[in-house]
């Protein structure tokens, strides 16, 4: 084959220099035609769009042509020609074809219209579908947008550890990390597991959040963010929970809860606007196939001011709804943790816009949130979204050493895990605030998909860690 530099299909489809010699490489989506001519739809993952390759069969080796089946990988040299068909400007009149990889007939993606459930069982191949190509291109774009947002505003990307000795959320939902031989665990004199024999000489786990280390960084570098995987061994088999998910956690010195709320609203709108500006082909595909109201919903959220409401106000609205006959699965009363059904009622039915809820009872929030003057509620905030419920959780942090120490003790968190965190409150403590955005929850909203397993390449959930 003649050596011609490869053009990606995304770039090729924009070209109008018809007559040029080009090379493309990609996977066969479909092949149709007659005895004389074949039309091959080729996709290389650079865009949702395929390029049509026209092959006059007479000029090619018959054995080679037989290998051009759905899923096969081809390198094609040809002439860029103006397309007569609808939709696309350019197609390729093939002059040379090399089959880089044949695809045998057990290929599970022969036909269109597989269910999302089936595609989860073949997560190693699903990026080859239009749907997952679109989702993973959007996922990349959103990761880029997040870095750009913070970098442009002088935040530093700070890397927090994945293996830790502490439980940042104090919820005890951690995966243990150990090299101990579980069939023959070292025991101390009291018959307890002897972690001195373990790899780190102490009990360790995968992190549930980078926040505590992020706070150390914010009280030194000013404005930081973390963006990495976090792990939670909560046994919630829901369409919104993963055992391994990615979280974005900005933390800013001198920000109070209001600054934090403003940052959260501005940030999430920026991300959604970025998707509208940079991922339109993929969004349109997802809208057409999965969620007819997607683009309108995205535009609405960018254009509307989020509702601010206290937890107490929210509970009142919910109690009134119950009194008027609305049925919730979980009970509503002041002090109860809100379930996703409650959050969605407030957002979708009552306020009809995203809601930033603040001032929760301290009992249902983490130990590090700043206590309000009432001694009952904390300066925390959750951002609640249509279809999702909670997408962001954050707070102003408790900065007073004694108050924080008491909160740690009240929550039965061992001081041996927290001394370094408390140190920041001894050495030049300052007001500071931050939040965590669940990256996959953002992707659920932006893609319109309804199961979180479909917005991460290889989901980890209870009883599932394949691939
Ligand atoms: O509300 P969370 O637990 O807050 C924190 O972890 C804080 N340390 C954040 C901070 O203030 N720096 O989690 C933050 C967000 C949630 O709002 C949700 O979007 C997402 O992380 N999240 C999950 N996403 C997928 N699967 C799970 N199991 C999740 N748990 C939380
Ligand atoms: Mg939360």
């Amino acid at each position: 084959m003649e050596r011609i530099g490869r053009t990606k299909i995304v770039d090729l489809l924009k070209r109008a220099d018809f007559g040029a010699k080009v090379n493309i490489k990609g996977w066969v989506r479909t092949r149709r035609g007659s005895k004389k001519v074949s039309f091959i739809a080729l996709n290389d993952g650079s865009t949702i769009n395929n390029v049509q390759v026209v092959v006059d069969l007479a000029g090619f080796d018959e054995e080679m042509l037989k290998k051009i089946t759905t899923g096969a990988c081809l390198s094609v040299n040809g002439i860029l020609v103006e397309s007569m068909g609808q939709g696309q400007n350019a197609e390729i009149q093939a002059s040379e074809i090399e089959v880089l990889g044949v695809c045998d007939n057990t290929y599970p993606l022969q036909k269109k219209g597989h269910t999302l459930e089936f595609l989860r069982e073949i997560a190693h191949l699903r990026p080859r579908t239009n749907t997952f190509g679109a989702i993973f291109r959007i996922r990349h774009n959103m990761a880029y947008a997040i870095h750009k947002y913070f970098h442009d505003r002088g935040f530093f990307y700070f890397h927090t550890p994945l293996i830790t000795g502490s439980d940042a959320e104090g919820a005890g939902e951690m995966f243990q990390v150990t090299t101990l031989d579980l069939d023959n665990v070292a025991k101390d004199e009291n018959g307890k597991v002897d972690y001195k024999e373990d790899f780190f000489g102490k009990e360790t786990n995968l992190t549930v959040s980078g926040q505590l280390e992020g706070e150390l960084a914010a009280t030194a570098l000013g404005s930081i963010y973390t963006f990495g995987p976090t792990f939670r061994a909560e046994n919630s088999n829901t369409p919104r929970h993963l055992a391994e998910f990615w979280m974005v956690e900005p933390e800013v010195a001198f920000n109070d809860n209001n600054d934090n709320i403003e940052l959260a609203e501005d940030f999430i709108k920026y991300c959604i606007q970025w998707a509208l500006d940079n991922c339109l082909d993929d969004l349109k595909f997802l809208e057409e196939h999965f969620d007819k109201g997607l683009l309108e919903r995205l535009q609405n959220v960018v254009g509307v001011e989020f509702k601010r409401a206290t937890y107490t106000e929210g509970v009142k609205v919910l109690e009134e709804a119950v009194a008027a006959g609305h049925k919730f699965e979980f009970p509503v009363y002041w002090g109860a943790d809100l379930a996703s059904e409650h959050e969605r009622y407030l957002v979708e039915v009552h306020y009809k816009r995203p809601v930033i809820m603040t001032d929760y009872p301290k009992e249902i929030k983490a130990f590090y949130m700043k206590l309000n003057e009432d001694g009952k509620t904390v300066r925390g905030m959750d951002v609640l979204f249509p279809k999702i419920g909670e997408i962001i959780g954050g707070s102003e942090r408790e900065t007073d050493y004694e108050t924080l120490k008491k909160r740690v003790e009240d929550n039965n968190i061992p001081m041996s895990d927290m001394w370094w965190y408390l140190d920041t409150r001894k050495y030049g403590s300052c007001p500071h605030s931050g939040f965590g955005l669940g990256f996959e929850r953002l992707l659920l909203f932006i893609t319109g998909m309804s199961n979180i397993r479909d917005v991460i390449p290889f989901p980890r959930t209870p009883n599932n860690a394949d691939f």
Side-chain angles (χ1 to χ4, degrees), residues 169 232 234 240-241 245 247 268 337-344 347-348 355 357 360 364-365 368-369 381-394 435-442 444-445 452:
E169 293 300 304
R232 293 192 186 179
E234 52 186 330
R240 290 174 315 279
H241 287 88
F245 64 98
M247 198 170 10
I268 203 161
D337 207 352
L338 298 187
S340 162
E341 56 171 347
H342 304 132
E343 297 171 339
R344 291 187 59 181
V347 171
E348 292 165 25
V355 175
M357 185 151 283
Y360 287 83
I364 59 170
K365 288 292 180 192
Y368 49 68
M369 295 193 182
M381 61 99 174
D382 280 1
V383 180
L384 313 178
F385 254 44
K387 287 193 74 183
I388 314 283
E390 179 189 340
I391 195 165
I392 283 179
F435 61 81
L437 166 81
F439 187 49
E440 285 77 18
R441 299 240 176 125
L442 174 69
L444 271 181
F445 183 72
I452 200 162

Side-chain angles (χ1 to χ4, degrees), residues 155-429:
F155 285 62
F156 301 109
Y157 181 27
F158 191 75
H159 295 114
T160 51
L162 299 191
I163 300 175
T164 74
S166 58
D167 178 359
E169 293 300 304
E173 292 168 334
M174 296 171 303
F175 289 100
Q176 194 170 344
V177 175
T178 182
T179 53
L180 289 176
D181 177 359
L182 296 184
D183 287 323
N184 186 16
V185 179
K187 297 274 175 70
D188 64 14
E189 54 273 22
N190 301 319
K192 296 268 189 202
V193 175
D194 187 5
Y195 286 106
K196 283 199 208 69
E197 297 292 314
D198 205 349
F199 188 90
F200 297 105
K202 61 184 279 191
E203 207 175 335
T204 52
N205 44 266
L206 293 176
T207 188
V208 296
S209 157
Q211 177 194 323
L212 302 190
E213 292 89 351
E215 284 186 50
L216 310 180
T219 53
L221 300 169
S223 305
I224 65 96
Y225 68 105
T226 71
F227 185 8
T230 49
F231 308 87
R232 293 192 186 179
E234 52 186 330
N235 204 350
S236 338
N237 233 323
T238 81
R240 290 174 315 279
H241 287 88
L242 290 165
E244 175 179 296
F245 64 98
W246 287 62
M247 198 170 10
V248 186
E249 293 184 277
E251 190 72 34
V252 187
F254 317 118
N255 266 12
D256 65 15
N257 201 32
N258 275 327
D259 302 323
N260 201 36
I261 287 170
E262 274 165 30
L263 180 66
E265 181 168 347
D266 187 60
F267 167 58
I268 203 161
K269 284 180 171 169
Y270 176 95
C271 290
I272 295 166
Q273 187 63 51
W274 183 276
L276 287 166
D277 292 344
N278 295 279
C279 309
L280 203 55
D281 284 355
D282 289 326
L283 289 176
K284 279 185 176 156
F285 175 87
L286 295 173
E287 168 162 87
E288 192 186 324
H289 290 87
F290 295 99
D291 182 350
K292 296 285 182 263
L294 179 61
L295 287 171
E296 200 187 326
R297 193 172 334 108
L298 298 183
Q299 274 146 2
N300 282 348
V301 164
V302 171
V304 71
E305 202 186 317
F306 295 1
K307 171 73 188 172
R308 276 117 163 108
T310 64
Y311 169 89
T312 304
E313 286 163 349
V315 167
K316 193 157 165 271
V317 168
L318 294 169
E319 283 174 339
E320 280 164 10
V322 171
H326 191 91
K327 295 258 180 298
F328 291 113
E329 191 185 337
F330 296 100
V332 179
Y333 55 92
W334 199 95
D337 207 352
L338 298 187
S340 162
E341 56 171 347
H342 304 132
E343 297 171 339
R344 291 187 59 181
Y345 179 88
L346 292 171
V347 171
E348 292 165 25
V349 182
H350 189 78
Y351 293 116
K352 297 191 169 63
R353 56 177 69 192
V355 175
I356 306 185
M357 185 151 283
T358 58
D359 302 287
Y360 287 83
K362 68 172 191 281
E363 287 76 17
I364 59 170
K365 288 292 180 192
F367 68 94
Y368 49 68
M369 295 193 182
K370 189 175 173 68
L371 205 57
N372 278 323
E373 288 74 24
D374 63 11
K376 290 197 310 201
T377 58
V378 286
R379 246 168 262 182
M381 61 99 174
D382 280 1
V383 180
L384 313 178
F385 254 44
K387 287 193 74 183
I388 314 283
E390 179 189 340
I391 195 165
I392 283 179
S395 76
E396 187 170 338
R397 315 307 187 188
E398 184 56 66
T399 50
D400 178 67
Y401 183 85
E402 291 302 331
T403 312
L404 185 59
K405 185 157 168 275
K406 183 150 187 324
R407 294 276 285 146
V408 168
E409 285 161 1
D410 288 351
N411 282 274
N412 298 317
I413 302 167
M415 204 47 78
S416 56
D417 289 350
M418 284 298 159
W419 63 270
W420 51 271
Y421 179 64
L422 279 152
D423 262 5
T424 49
R425 277 57 171 177
K426 281 201 298 199
Y427 305 135
S429 191

